[in-house]
Amino acid sequence: MEQKPVIRHREFCSVCGAKIPRERRSAMPGVSTCLRCQLRQERRRRTDDDRDAAQRGASEPAARDSVEVRGDLVLAGDWSGRLIDLVGRESEVRRLLAKGEAEQARTLVQALPVEEQAALVAMSEAPEEMLSMTGARRSGDPGYSAGVVELLPAETLGNLISIDPDEGKFNTDLIRAMSPGVLQSTMAETLDRVDNPGLRTRVSWEWLQALSTLREFDRRAELLRAVDPELLGDALQDRLEHLRLNEVVSFGGFPVYRFRLFSAEGLGGTRPSAFIDDPETGVVLDALYEAAPDLLSQVIRIAWERAVDDGESADTSLQAEAEQDERTEEGSNESSRRR
């Protein structure tokens, strides 16, 4: 008779010495570390991989030129002009629109150098309307000039992206006109100004929502991959409860931790929403998975590791599991003594 190998369960983590919950030992026979140490080891490996990539030539995106005001001058790239002249130019455009001469207004705006168009949009009291003329067609359909968008300040772009975040309404056409570099720098600059962790999480989530509205698969993937995953990880800080990452579930007939399901291999073609109890979170993560499955896994791990490091949801769950495990074992021992 063939003898099956015996898989021994370690009761304590080989790294930190903490007790490994029974559920984890059952779900992962032969496991030698607690969940916290496993996540930290994987994070270190990813950091080492990123460092190697940087040494091979990867670099941070360069800071871009955008419209700025210096005294009574407005600068955009190599162009500069007086603020009072821009105010006069906007008044002229407004006069033409008020007279119903939209074609003439469009022609006037598009005849300006791209840099001056960007300055006109940034200084305008109605920047979206002005921007929509920079790429408008003869048919009258509005449009955004990618060259103008490239020069707009992050604050202007950020304000124009969100139409009604509570209702999930975003300016998808503007997102489509943004280059990956502009998107990355705009998100980074926008979030750099936010000190409150809760507000930073909400703003990050709105950006992720906005990107999920882009229907073009390839374009969505291109833009998402340009963004620092650490920024995307911010978006999930208050939504981890919907993912229930610390639960042990049956997958393919085997018990696994739920966080493993949110990897390119674990999902196996299944949409993330199948494992999420909140529809809004599910829709956004579906869009992220469809565009870049590996990025979804990385972003969720970043959010989860932060929760572990901060001693929040993951740490609390692990402690609760360990305490429950101890109570169960104590009950079993007590029953044995009585017998």
Side-chain angles (χ1 to χ4, degrees), residues 211-231:
L211 286 166
S212 73
T213 64
L214 197 60
R215 293 185 178 278
E216 295 86 345
F217 173 86
D218 291 339
R219 184 65 172 149
R220 193 193 320 150
E222 180 185 24
L223 291 174
L224 280 166
R225 289 189 179 281
V227 180
D228 184 350
E230 296 287 338
L231 298 182

Side-chain angles (χ1 to χ4, degrees), residues 103-304:
E103 176 64 20
Q104 289 84 340
R106 178 193 67 80
T107 301
L108 173 61
V109 170
Q110 294 185 3
L112 301 173
V114 171
E115 295 84 357
E116 188 172 355
Q117 291 183 49
L120 187 61
V121 172
M123 298 295 107
S124 175
E125 294 181 359
E128 197 283 327
E129 182 181 37
M130 195 67 66
L131 179 59
S132 69
M133 286 189 283
T134 62
R137 302 168 183 80
R138 291 187 178 276
S139 61
D141 295 334
Y144 303 122
S145 163
V148 172
V149 171
E150 187 80 21
L151 292 167
L152 291 178
E155 184 176 3
T156 300
L157 289 171
N159 291 335
L160 294 178
I161 288 293
S162 296
I163 298 176
D164 188 350
D166 292 335
E167 295 296 326
K169 297 178 180 178
F170 300 92
N171 193 333
T172 307
D173 289 333
L174 179 54
I175 296 174
R176 190 178 293 110
M178 298 172 75
S179 68
V182 168
L183 175 69
Q184 194 279 338
S185 62
T186 299
M187 282 189 65
E189 290 178 40
T190 300
L191 291 169
D192 278 347
R193 302 190 185 101
V194 182
D195 295 327
N196 182 282
L199 180 58
R200 183 182 176 90
T201 292
R202 184 169 67 80
V203 173
S204 299
W205 177 251
E206 289 177 3
W207 273 106
L208 198 49
Q209 279 183 295
L211 286 166
S212 73
T213 64
L214 197 60
R215 293 185 178 278
E216 295 86 345
F217 173 86
D218 291 339
R219 184 65 172 149
R220 193 193 320 150
E222 180 185 24
L223 291 174
L224 280 166
R225 289 189 179 281
V227 180
D228 184 350
E230 296 287 338
L231 298 182
L232 297 179
D234 284 338
L236 298 181
Q237 289 305 295
D238 61 356
R239 293 178 179 269
L240 290 175
E241 63 183 47
H242 298 302
L243 277 60
R244 305 195 304 278
L245 299 178
N246 205 48
E247 287 187 3
V248 175
V249 297
S250 176
F251 186 75
F254 298 96
V256 297
Y257 272 94
R258 186 183 288 271
F259 81 88
R260 289 194 173 277
L261 300 181
F262 292 94
S263 66
E265 297 79 11
L267 283 164
T270 305
R271 296 165 70 87
S273 56
F275 308 108
I276 301 174
D277 60 10
D278 176 58
E280 180 184 288
T281 303
V283 167
V284 173
L285 293 192
D286 279 353
L288 182 57
Y289 172 68
E290 290 165 1
D294 56 320
L295 182 58
L296 169 69
S297 176
Q298 185 178 7
V299 168
I300 287 179
R301 284 181 179 275
I302 288 171
W304 186 237

